[in-house]
């Protein structure tokens, strides 16, 4: 099964009530799959006139209390940023998948990780955060749909799956466990006002600055709770590691191979794979910085996550970056070469 | 509507405070107590929240809000109705309407309404949008929602100006009309002509009922109310979009007194934006509605 199809099937199994989307390579399979499978199940699937429209349909349907999802790829996600900011401001749960291609602009349809900043720092206007999950296999494309929906509902916050064109298009075996969606009460939803309650309204407007600040501080508290509770990562051979690779998604798969190659040569290399890019696994990186000599981030961009790794270790070890850009994928050997060169030249070692 | 005479008395009181002359009949007038002896002939609709509105004096928004809520009251659909407020002067509409509402980003009301209605097809969903929101930044969402035949009501307030941002040119600003961004008058050789949205969307098969009304006199108000009532009732048929354009006014940004704006609507606005039904449902389509009753 393709990564994109796994995501679509998982959405159905996770009880997604509606999907609104617009075609864009390399993720159109999600819309195609759901257009085929959703109507017979009484679910809503709609090909919108643009990504701008689809994210606002998400806003409307999420505000009415339904479990909803959209997906796109980088240029389309850029178009959605206004809507995502409103969704975050109005605190609506929904799932947004970005099958990252390479930019800027039209770029190419090949895989990229250039949207890391956009995904993890907010993306649209104003102070807000998404919960960002980074799958590195087709299995995780499915698993993180379940997880993303649950976290979105738990925190009343938009969640994003930040994947890439390779994970979206590759085919691997997937198993779907028996997943029971949690029932979340949504007393705030716009379902029509009965006489028994006050009217509900979905808004991100707080015209009085005192009220806006109060609301933003409440959001900051929510994001803090996410950072305390929802950090997810995978450690590979970090126990005795002297050097740490940090990579997510496709790059993490490649780096796993680099770890094996390095170990064959007797170089003690480990890998930290952030699964949640927001909240970022700061603590484990900070701890590892106490007992390692160097960290190297590997990304398919000009160096974005490297900034978060530097902030996490706060100068305790040198943090370097290696990457390829514009749809080019690094191979395990070139990463190992880079690491070996750094080991030779680094003053800290 | 207030009578012209009454408005003039008020104006005199306001403009000439120092030498204000209070008419004799007002001095001695005693407000009658409402008791069981009196028949209530008029009152605020129950679903219109009892707060003072932020709208400028003489603005049509508050009146149209009231008409919408009267329609909702009369149809008894408060529990089944979800409104979508725009960005523009009506951004606070949910403060005034005692129904569930969703605020939309600028121009996106029809997409938000689509999201709500597709999931809850048996509810009544309406958007309330101005000319900047609907006819400029929101054209794509509006056109496609209507083309899909979304069973929603779109209330389109056309006052030919951006009110909330204080008086910039709108897509519906009349030729030669002065605004803060067309200080020498709208130059149609540069900006083109004002968009007639109702005529533009009426030919779409998804448009079920399209009408243009105004509220600058008592008869017009009654007609607008009727149009809104019908538009809500038609939603039950699930035959397509109802589009009620209302020619409004904007005393603050037209730089006129409220009375002058009412005249401007007659003299200028409705000459370019003619009033009346542009697309009416076919008799056979309405059959089910009558049977329902």
């Amino acid at each position: 099964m393709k990564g994109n199809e796994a995501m679509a099937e998982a959405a159905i199994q996770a009880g997604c009530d509606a999907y609104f989307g617009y075609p864009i390579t390399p993720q159109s399979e999600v819309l195609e799959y759901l257009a085929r499978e959703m109507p017979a199940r009484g679910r809503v699937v709609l090909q919108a006139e643009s990504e701008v429209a689809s994210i606002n349909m998400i806003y409307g349907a999420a505000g009415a209390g339904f479990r909803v999802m959209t997906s796109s790829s980088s240029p389309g996600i850029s178009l959605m940023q206004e809507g995502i900011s409103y969704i975050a401001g109005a605190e609506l749960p929904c799932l947004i998948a970005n099958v990252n291609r390479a930019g800027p602009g039209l770029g190419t349809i090949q895989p990229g990780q250039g949207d890391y900043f956009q995904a993890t720092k907010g993306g649209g206007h104003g102070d807000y955060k998404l919960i960002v999950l980074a799958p590195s296999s087709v299995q995780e494309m499915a698993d993180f749909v379940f997880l993303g929906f649950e976290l979105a509902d738990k925190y009343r916050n938009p969640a994003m799956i930040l994947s890439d064109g390779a994970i979206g298009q590759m085919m691997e075996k997937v198993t779907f466990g028996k997943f029971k969606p949690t029932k979340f009460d949504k007393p705030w939803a716009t379902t029509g006002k009965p006489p028994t309650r006050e009217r509900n309204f979905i808004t991100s407007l707080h015209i009085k600055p005192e009220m806006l600040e109060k609301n933003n501080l409440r959001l900051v508290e929510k994001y803090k709770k996410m950072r305390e509770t929802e950090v997810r990562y995978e450690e590979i051979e970090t126990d005795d590691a002297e050097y740490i690779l940090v990579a997510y998604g496709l790059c993490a798969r490649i780096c796993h191979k680099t770890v094996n190659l390095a170990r064959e040569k007797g170089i003690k290399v480990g890998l930290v794979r952030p699964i949640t890019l927001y909240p970022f696994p700061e603590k484990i990186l900070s701890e590892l910085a106490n007992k390692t000599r160097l960290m190297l981030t590997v990304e398919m961009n000009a160096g974005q996550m490297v900034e978060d790794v530097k902030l996490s270790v706060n100068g305790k070890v040198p943090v370097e970056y290696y990457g390829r850009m514009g749809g080019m994928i690094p191979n395990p050997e070139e990463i190992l070469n880079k690491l070996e060169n750094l080991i030779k030249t680094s003053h800290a070692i | 509507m207030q009578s012209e005479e009454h408005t003039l008395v008020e104006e005199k009181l306001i403009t000439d405070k120092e030498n204000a002359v209070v008419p004799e009949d007002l001095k001695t007038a005693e407000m009658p107590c409402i008791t069981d002896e009196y028949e209530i002939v008029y009152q605020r609709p129950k679903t219109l929240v009892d707060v003072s509105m932020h709208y400028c004096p003489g603005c049509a928004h508050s009146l149209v809000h009231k008409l919408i809520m009267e329609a909702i009251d009369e149809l008894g659909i408060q529990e089944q109705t979800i409104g979508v407020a725009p960005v523009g002067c009506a951004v606070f509409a949910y403060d005034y309407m005692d129904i569930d509402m969703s605020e939309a980003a600028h121009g996106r009301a029809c997409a938000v309404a689509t999201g709500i209605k597709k999931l809850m097809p048996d509810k009544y969903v309406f958007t309330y949008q101005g000319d900047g929101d609907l006819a400029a930044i929101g054209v794509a969402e509006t056109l496609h929602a209507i083309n899909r035949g979304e069973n929603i009501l779109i209330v389109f307030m056309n006052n030919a100006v951006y009110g909330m941002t204080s008086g910039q040119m709108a897509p519906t600003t009349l030729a030669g009309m002065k605004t803060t961004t067309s200080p020498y008058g709208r130059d149609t050789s540069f900006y083109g002509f004002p968009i007639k949205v109702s005529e533009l969307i009426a030919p779409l098969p998804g448009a079920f009922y399209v009408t243009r009304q105004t509220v600058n006199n008592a008869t017009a108000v009654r007609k607008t109310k009727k149009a809104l009532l019908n538009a809500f009732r038609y939603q039950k048929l699930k035959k397509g979009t109802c589009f009620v354009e209302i020619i409004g006014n904007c005393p603050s940004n037209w730089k006129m007194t409220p009375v002058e704006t009412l005249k401007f609507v007659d003299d200028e606005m409705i000459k370019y934006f003619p009033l009346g039904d542009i697309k009416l449902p076919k008799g056979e389509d309405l059959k089910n509605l009558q049977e329902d009753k």
Side-chain angles (χ1 to χ4, degrees), chain A residues 17-18 20 44 46-50 52-54 56-61 63-64 66 68 82-83 86 189-195 197-205 207, chain B residues 49 78-82 87 91-92 94-106 108 110-116 118-120 123 137 140-142 144-145 148 150:
Chain A
D17 295 304
F20 302 94
V44 171
L46 192 154
Q47 178 174 335
E49 60 270 27
S50 68
V52 176
S54 43
N56 282 286
M57 291 172 188
I58 290 285
Y59 174 98
F66 293 91
V68 289
E82 177 203 40
Y86 276 72
T190 52
T191 52
K193 178 201 173 302
R197 66 159 165 82
E198 291 295 301
R199 66 190 186 279
N200 286 335
F201 48 88
I202 303 295
T203 186
S204 56
L205 177 65
I207 199 82
Chain B
V49 179
Q78 180 190 21
E79 282 189 54
Q80 292 103 51
T81 305
I82 295 107
V87 167
V91 72
F92 296 112
Y94 54 74
D95 282 342
Y96 311 134
M97 301 180 178
D98 191 19
I99 51 170
D100 281 0
M101 288 195 79
S102 188
E103 176 60 53
H106 195 28
R108 317 297 175 221
C110 284
V112 173
T114 298
I116 297 168
K118 283 286 192 228
L119 273 301
M120 301 188 294
K123 304 275 178 177
I137 197 168
E141 288 77 9
T142 307
H144 283 279
R148 283 189 300 267
E150 298 296 345

Side-chain angles (χ1 to χ4, degrees), chain A residues 222-238:
Chain A
K222 181 170 86 170
Y223 304 144
K224 191 178 156 210
K225 199 175 162 207
M226 288 178 196
R227 288 203 303 277
E228 288 164 0
T229 322
E230 304 302 341
V231 172
R232 288 166 170 79
Y233 57 86
E234 184 186 8
E235 283 182 89
I236 293 163
E237 307 216 27
T238 52

Side-chain angles (χ1 to χ4, degrees), chain A residues 20-186:
Chain A
F20 302 94
Y22 186 84
I24 184 171
T25 308
Q27 67 75 53
S28 298
E29 293 86 356
V30 183
L31 174 58
E32 289 167 350
Y33 190 97
L34 294 174
R36 196 174 67 231
E37 301 294 334
M38 291 271 268
R41 292 171 165 86
R43 319 273 185 94
V44 171
V45 59
L46 192 154
Q47 178 174 335
E49 60 270 27
S50 68
E51 289 88 347
V52 176
S54 43
I55 195 69
N56 282 286
M57 291 172 188
I58 290 285
Y59 174 98
F66 293 91
R67 183 166 267 201
V68 289
M69 175 184 181
T70 185
S71 63
S72 187
S73 180
S74 310
I77 296 289
S78 291
L79 277 173
M80 290 184 188
Q81 288 304 329
E82 177 203 40
I84 294 173
S85 173
Y86 276 72
I87 288 170
E91 293 187 86
L92 299 178
C94 67
L95 183 62
I96 304 152
N98 180 1
V99 183
N100 200 163
R101 56 191 254 186
L106 210 44
T108 171
I109 57 173
Q110 303 301 323
Q113 294 183 328
D115 300 352
Y116 177 90
F117 279 152
Q118 188 195 50
T120 59
K121 308 298 175 191
H125 59 285
D127 264 321
Y128 70 89
K129 299 288 184 190
L130 310 176
I131 298 160
V132 185
L133 303 167
S136 73
S137 65
V138 174
Q139 181 65 53
E140 283 188 342
M141 286 289 258
D143 294 346
F144 291 178
V145 169
F146 298 126
L147 180 61
F149 273 130
E150 292 290 306
L151 291 176
D153 274 330
K154 182 177 171 187
Y155 289 94
R156 266 192 79 175
N157 203 72
M160 176 176 272
I161 293 178
L162 184 62
S163 172
D164 65 60
I167 309 274
Q169 293 295 324
M170 70 167 64
M171 293 182 89
E172 287 180 326
K173 193 181 161 193
V174 193
T175 50
F176 291 93
K178 280 204 175 132
F179 179 81
K180 278 193 190 137
T182 312
K183 181 84 186 147
F184 288 89
D185 282 336
K186 299 183 178 178

Side-chain angles (χ1 to χ4, degrees), chain A residues 216-341:
Chain A
N216 278 339
L217 288 172
R218 198 173 52 73
L219 290 180
V220 166
E221 277 304 304
K222 181 170 86 170
Y223 304 144
K224 191 178 156 210
K225 199 175 162 207
M226 288 178 196
R227 288 203 303 277
E228 288 164 0
T229 322
E230 304 302 341
V231 172
R232 288 166 170 79
Y233 57 86
E234 184 186 8
E235 283 182 89
I236 293 163
E237 307 216 27
T238 52
D239 283 350
D240 63 340
E242 292 176 29
Y243 310 101
I244 297 288
L245 297 174
V246 188
Y248 72 91
L250 184 66
C251 283
R253 291 170 76 113
I254 298 162
C255 283
H256 196 161
K257 175 79 175 166
T258 305
V259 170
N260 295 341
L261 291 175
R263 293 266 168 183
E264 280 167 24
K265 284 184 157 186
I267 311 169
K268 288 180 177 173
V269 179
L271 168 66
V272 173
R273 175 172 80 94
I275 289 171
T276 50
L277 300 182
Y278 188 90
F280 194 70
E282 296 164 358
K283 205 170 147 219
I284 183 66
L285 290 169
S286 178
E287 283 167 15
L288 286 169
N290 294 331
K291 52 180 187 176
T292 53
R293 295 181 169 190
L294 176 113
M295 289 190 183
L296 174 64
T297 72
V298 180
E299 308 173 58
M300 292 189 293
N301 56 39
Q304 298 189 13
M305 185 178 66
V306 63
E307 293 188 7
D308 283 336
V309 178
K310 281 183 177 175
L311 283 170
S312 302
V313 306
N314 201 14
K316 285 194 275 190
V317 286
V319 177
E320 299 288 342
Y321 146 84
Y322 179 72
R324 296 293 299 269
M325 291 195 289
M328 300 300 290
I329 299 171
N331 66 46
E333 290 79 14
E334 65 185 90
I335 298 167
L336 184 56
N337 281 344
K338 172 75 180 180
L339 183 64
E340 284 178 320
N341 284 338

Side-chain angles (χ1 to χ4, degrees), chain B residues 120-162:
Chain B
M120 301 188 294
D122 295 326
K123 304 275 178 177
Y124 294 84
V125 177
F126 74 93
T127 72
Y128 185 98
Q129 302 176 258
D131 38 68
D133 194 79
L134 183 141
I137 197 168
V139 166
E141 288 77 9
T142 307
L143 196 87
H144 283 279
I146 297 168
N147 195 50
R148 283 189 300 267
E150 298 296 345
N151 293 300
I152 58 172
L153 161 62
I154 300 170
V155 180
F156 172 39
M157 284 297 290
N158 177 4
N159 62 6
V161 77
Y162 281 74

